[in-house]
Amino acid sequence: MTEFTMATDADGVATITWDVPGKSMNVLSLAGLAELNGLIDAALADAAVKGVIVTSGKKDFAGGMDLNVIARMKEQGGAEPAKAVFEGILQFHAILRKIERAGMDPKTLKGGKPIVAALPGTALGIGLELPLACHRIIAADNPKAKIGLPEIMVGIFPGAGGTTRLVRKLGAMMAAPFLLEGKLSDPKGAKAAGLIDEVVAPEDLLARAKEWILAAKDTDLVKPWDAKGYKMPGGTPYHPAGFMTFVGASAMVHGKTMGVYPAAKALLAAVYEGSLVPFDTALKIEARHFTSVLMNPSSTAMIRSLFINKEALEKGANRPKVADQTVKKLGVIGAGMMGAGIAYVSATAGIEVVLIDAAQDAADRGKAYSEGLLDKGIQRRKVTAEKKAEVLARITATTDYAALVGCDLIVEAVFEDPKVKAEVTAKVEAAVGPDCIFATNTSTLPISALAKASARPDQFIGIHFFSPVDKMMLVEIIKGKQTGDRAVAKALDFVRQIRKTPIVVNDARFFYANRCIIPYINEGIRMVAEGVEPALIENAAKLVGMPLGPLQLVDETSIDLGVKIAKATKAAMGDAYPDGAVDAVLFAMADQGRLGRKSNAGFYAYDAAGKRLGLWEELAAQYPLAEVQPDLTQVQHRLLMAQVLEAVRALEDGVLTDIREGDVGAILGWGFAPWSGGPFGWLDIIGAPRAVAICDALEAAHGARFAAPQVLRDMAAQGRGFYDPAAAKAA
Ligand code: NAD
């Protein structure tokens, strides 16, 4: 397969065009790298070639590395995967360094051939690391293009020289948002930040690249770090200003990551150590740290869940094979918090929306929510006035069900009351055509029971959004007993249109996400009742990578909602209800008017403006601290296992049918320790035998809710993991 081609024009300018066949976006494979290497060698050796343009045959330059490359390098290493990975990385470095030196004399730095990266659009990851090795980066003025190094978002860091080059180009401080936060810019922003050199009109891109090549002098080809007397912008660690940067960066990164993400730490180490040595040594240091990150099971797990499997689910991995179900006209019933958000994300995605509420002013308020968000977008220069007008014109706010004519999907988000929902279902079905799919956004009511109100239960489904709708990327699609394939396909096609990530689960109490998050909150509250120091509970959660401790989380979602759910669960379960100890605390808090953030009082204290101050001091008086406190790991095991065992049970019960959905859903739905790749990813990292041992110890100390599920015992006995049959053994 040819991924790179080269053609040389009459003026001696060779153009290397990257165009991976059969893909809409270029990604770099090992075969592609070898082709590029061969073409660069040929261009440097050919006396007729004066300079080289590296560009793309597609509308974008490149989306990054083919992440399967890493797995392949490890496999090829056999018993020594780290060695193979390290050598593989050095190969990347050697080729990019060859481009950078471009045949120049190493002493005089003369005689090299100019090599220009001409970027028509998006350039991410290796798609920017390669240009950073070229002598000039020119981008087309394409405001939709994204330029940057997003590696950190999937648990790795730019390891093909991008880290070392960017830090030497911009200085550690200015490079930090791009390396540590994976910040992406449009071409103009990238130029302003110094990431690239020039932005030109798209039609002038290649002509300008050629012009630069033909005018380039020897000195234009020498990178600052290869020139005599180079000093790193902002200073190295032993320079006073540099010292402040590095101390501050370490503290900031640790504060944000709590030390659980190996990539952030390794990146900082590579930058710090690399800045003290010459460039080529720095590259080697970068390669060593990069290897250590790639060998860490966390990076494998993060890449798997946050990149490969997330994309697979978005592309319809579990979509039934029925004809395209793209939504053309959407009806949203209930213009409250959720309905308003659903209307906004749908209209923004280009879907015509009818937004209905019981009273016109409520419907109008729902539409005004979109206006508010669009205005914020205008303030941040992300939205234009035309775009705002366009989106608002797509939303019809009304009380009239007749406006639903022509809708092919309805999402109902009225009060969480089966009677109200049943009335709405009947009213909608009387107004829409026979093919329209009806979805409920209920968070607690079983779909199969709500479907009884429908004349077409095969067209009835759950589409469960998370709050706030515009920010939360997960959508949980729930199949009732009678839900048919077309309804599932409709829901999946809708989620694809609004660019969110779907998981498809079967109907059961609390579906998947809430089923796992409630035991997490309950375990935290249970510990308060036992006299565990509340700060220990909260910090233990954060130190294991949870975004919020369980007590802060229940404050955010509201304590009275917890009370309501507890009462409903108890009514449904009767004597088998296991959470009496939790309820004692929860109900007492609610009785004191401490409902969480919304009442400015909960497990935390808040000031009058609603700012969270710290844990409520009275808590210790009401729930005296135990004399002996558990250690950090014990608390973390309880908090993690409370969620993870519920995920495993959801799999055993058939609520989850695909562990990929369990992991992606956990990270996107409730922020489950992303470094672990999700609950199943975490179990594979620690290995089934250790997981069973932890469960056995927790069960002995705290009861049957921690009993190890049979599937884990089986895996422990057979040396298997959830993803990789060998994972348990390796761990
Ligand atoms: P909300 O109270 O903010 O909004 C409900 C809206 O429905 C109100 O505007 C109300 O006027 C309208 N409504 C009530 N009865 C109606 C009727 N018969 N016809 C038309 N409109 C009617 O509630 P919400 O938080 O937006 O929740 C709505 C649904 O979404 C509930 O089923 C809830 O369980 C679910 N949900 C909520 C969340 C959350 O975090 N709030 C998350 C996921 C799902």
Side-chain angles (χ1 to χ4, degrees):
M1 197 157 67
T2 307
E3 302 183 8
F4 289 84
T5 52
M6 183 163 75
T8 306
D9 70 10
D11 298 313
V13 174
T15 301
I16 294 181
T17 305
W18 188 359
D19 197 350
V20 180
K23 291 213 165 169
S24 59
M25 179 72 96
N26 290 323
V27 289
L28 193 63
S29 64
L30 287 178
L33 182 72
E35 280 181 30
L36 174 66
N37 187 32
L39 296 178
I40 293 286
D41 280 341
L44 293 179
D46 184 348
V49 172
K50 298 214 169 49
V52 181
I53 300 172
V54 181
T55 189
S56 155
K58 305 193 190 291
K59 76 179 188 354
D60 292 310
F61 184 66
M65 177 92 92
D66 174 354
L67 287 170
N68 296 312
V69 163
I70 297 163
R72 211 154 305 134
M73 285 199 289
K74 278 187 199 166
E75 273 164 30
Q76 283 168 0
E80 292 190 289
K83 187 161 179 263
V85 169
F86 180 64
E87 281 165 5
I89 298 166
L90 288 187
Q91 228 181 336
F92 273 87
H93 283 195
I95 294 167
L96 296 192
R97 190 66 172 137
K98 178 161 62 188
I99 290 174
E100 191 159 57
R101 304 291 274 192
M104 66 182 70
D105 182 288
K107 288 230 167 69
T108 63
L109 303 179
K110 287 187 176 153
K113 292 185 185 184
I115 302 182
V116 175
L119 315 178
T122 289
L124 299 175
I126 190 81
L128 180 60
E129 293 187 280
L130 164 61
L132 282 169
C134 297
H135 304 117
R136 193 155 185 91
I137 309 175
I138 306 177
D141 185 8
N142 169 357
K144 288 217 171 119
K146 291 196 172 111
I147 297 181
L149 301 164
E151 284 88 339
I152 198 82
M153 308 305 284
V154 291
I156 55 177
F157 71 86
T163 295
T164 300
R165 286 195 174 85
L166 199 67
V167 166
R168 276 169 159 71
K169 195 173 161 112
L170 304 182
M173 176 85 103
M174 303 308 274
F178 299 103
L179 295 173
L180 281 170
E181 293 161 24
K183 178 182 170 188
L184 306 181
S185 305
D186 62 12
K188 283 201 171 122
K191 160 87 173 68
L195 224 50
I196 62 172
D197 303 302
E198 250 186 86
V199 181
V200 300
E203 60 275 19
D204 298 336
L205 182 65
L206 294 181
R208 175 59 196 137
K210 179 171 172 176
E211 183 187 29
W212 192 86
I213 286 173
L214 294 177
K217 299 187 290 293
D218 279 331
T219 48
D220 293 331
L221 313 191
V222 180
K223 289 293 173 67
W225 45 91
D226 283 328
K228 255 209 181 113
Y230 166 75
K231 284 210 168 63
M232 203 169 103
T236 53
Y238 292 136
H239 178 278
F243 179 81
M244 303 230 309
T245 304
F246 279 92
V247 171
S250 295
M252 193 195 81
V253 168
H254 199 82
K256 278 199 176 162
T257 65
M258 297 288 166
V260 292
Y261 294 89
K265 263 194 206 170
L267 168 68
L268 271 185
V271 170
Y272 180 94
E273 294 161 20
S275 65
L276 299 171
V277 294
F279 184 79
D280 287 295
T281 313
L283 281 181
K284 249 191 215 160
I285 289 174
E286 184 193 293
R288 286 200 193 284
H289 283 295
F290 191 45
T291 304
S292 84
V293 167
L294 293 184
M295 294 309 296
N296 191 307
S298 165
S299 77
T300 311
M302 281 181 79
I303 289 173
R304 183 178 55 217
S305 288
L306 290 173
F307 190 81
I308 298 171
N309 291 343
K310 177 172 168 288
E311 198 174 274
L313 297 178
E314 286 163 0
K315 286 193 172 156
N318 292 329
R319 186 185 183 281
K321 302 227 168 338
V322 297
D324 178 49
Q325 296 292 322
T326 300
V327 176
K328 292 180 193 73
K329 185 173 170 186
L330 172 75
V332 178
I333 321 295
M337 185 168 84
M338 299 303 287
I342 296 165
Y344 169 75
V345 296
S346 307
T348 311
I351 302 171
E352 195 188 332
V353 180
V354 177
L355 180 58
I356 290 191
D357 207 295
Q360 185 64 40
D361 63 331
D364 291 339
R365 268 198 308 280
K367 181 170 175 176
Y369 177 77
S370 284
E371 189 163 10
L373 287 180
L374 290 161
D375 283 337
K376 261 193 209 152
I378 290 179
Q379 272 168 19
R380 287 198 213 117
R381 294 166 187 265
K382 299 259 181 238
V383 176
T384 60
E386 298 83 71
K387 171 92 185 171
K388 174 185 159 184
E390 220 178 85
V391 172
L392 289 180
R394 283 193 202 110
I395 305 177
T396 307
T398 178
T399 57
D400 183 7
Y401 279 66
L404 296 176
V405 169
C407 282
D408 49 332
L409 175 67
I410 303 292
V411 178
E412 162 280 300
V414 298
F415 297 141
E416 189 74 338
D417 175 338
K419 243 174 62 201
V420 178
K421 289 195 189 290
E423 276 166 30
V424 165
T425 307
K427 255 170 111 174
V428 166
E429 287 186 354
V432 297
D435 291 336
C436 182
I437 302 292
F438 187 100
T440 170
N441 182 48
T442 180
S443 33
T444 56
L445 303 169
I447 304 302
S448 306
L450 291 179
K452 294 203 173 109
S454 169
R456 303 186 277 262
D458 59 318
Q459 289 174 208
F460 193 100
I461 194 166
I463 302 186
H464 181 212
F465 283 85
F466 294 79
S467 174
V469 176
D470 61 303
K471 296 228 171 67
M472 297 296 288
M473 294 314 291
L474 185 73
V475 179
E476 196 172 15
I477 295 171
I478 306 113
K479 290 196 279 188
K481 279 201 186 72
Q482 291 175 268
T483 303
D485 279 355
R486 200 171 64 80
V488 177
K490 177 65 90 180
L492 283 167
D493 288 358
F494 173 52
V495 173
R496 176 178 44 74
Q497 282 173 279
I498 57 175
R499 295 202 191 87
K500 294 197 184 284
T501 309
I503 61 170
V504 181
V505 302
N506 285 309
D507 195 16
R509 175 172 292 280
F510 302 133
F511 318 132
Y512 174 59
N514 286 340
R515 171 180 180 155
C516 297
I517 196 71
I518 292 170
Y520 170 65
I521 291 175
N522 284 353
E523 202 59 31
I525 296 176
R526 206 186 298 269
M527 284 192 240
V528 171
E530 289 169 16
V532 177
E533 171 71 73
L536 174 58
I537 303 169
E538 295 292 271
N539 287 326
K542 287 191 204 153
L543 285 169
V544 79
M546 293 299 295
L548 303 184
L551 305 180
Q552 189 185 341
L553 184 59
V554 70
D555 265 14
E556 296 292 336
T557 53
S558 96
I559 288 172
D560 51 327
L561 178 67
V563 168
K564 219 169 126 190
I565 290 175
K567 284 185 176 158
T569 311
K570 195 170 175 185
M573 290 181 79
D575 289 344
Y577 183 69
D579 291 325
V582 176
D583 293 354
V585 180
L586 203 62
F587 291 19
M589 293 291 280
D591 288 345
Q592 296 170 73
R594 302 192 74 86
L595 307 181
R597 168 177 291 285
K598 71 179 186 194
S599 67
N600 262 0
F603 286 97
Y604 281 79
Y606 300 80
D607 69 13
K611 185 168 178 266
R612 198 178 59 257
L613 299 173
L615 282 153
W616 183 42
E617 283 176 6
E618 258 304 288
L619 216 48
Q622 298 195 3
Y623 303 97
L625 296 184
E627 242 169 70
V628 181
Q629 290 289 315
D631 71 20
L632 180 69
T633 313
Q634 267 176 302
V635 176
Q636 289 176 327
H637 283 165
R638 284 180 71 173
L639 292 174
L640 284 183
M641 280 299 183
Q643 308 168 66
V644 166
L645 292 181
E646 209 51 53
V648 175
R649 286 179 206 124
L651 186 69
E652 286 185 320
D653 296 350
V655 171
L656 275 179
T657 56
D658 182 339
I659 53 171
R660 297 179 299 176
E661 293 181 311
D663 275 347
V664 172
I667 297 177
L668 299 187
W670 74 94
F672 181 88
W675 64 267
S676 69
F680 300 100
W682 182 65
L683 288 172
D684 271 6
I685 288 175
I686 63 171
R690 172 125 191 267
V692 167
I694 292 172
C695 289
D696 288 346
L698 289 177
E699 185 185 4
H702 304 289
R705 68 185 180 281
F706 289 113
Q710 193 54 41
V711 54
L712 266 186
R713 290 200 188 277
D714 292 347
M715 283 183 178
Q718 297 157 6
R720 280 189 302 120
F722 280 100
Y723 284 96
D724 173 3
K729 255 189 255 155

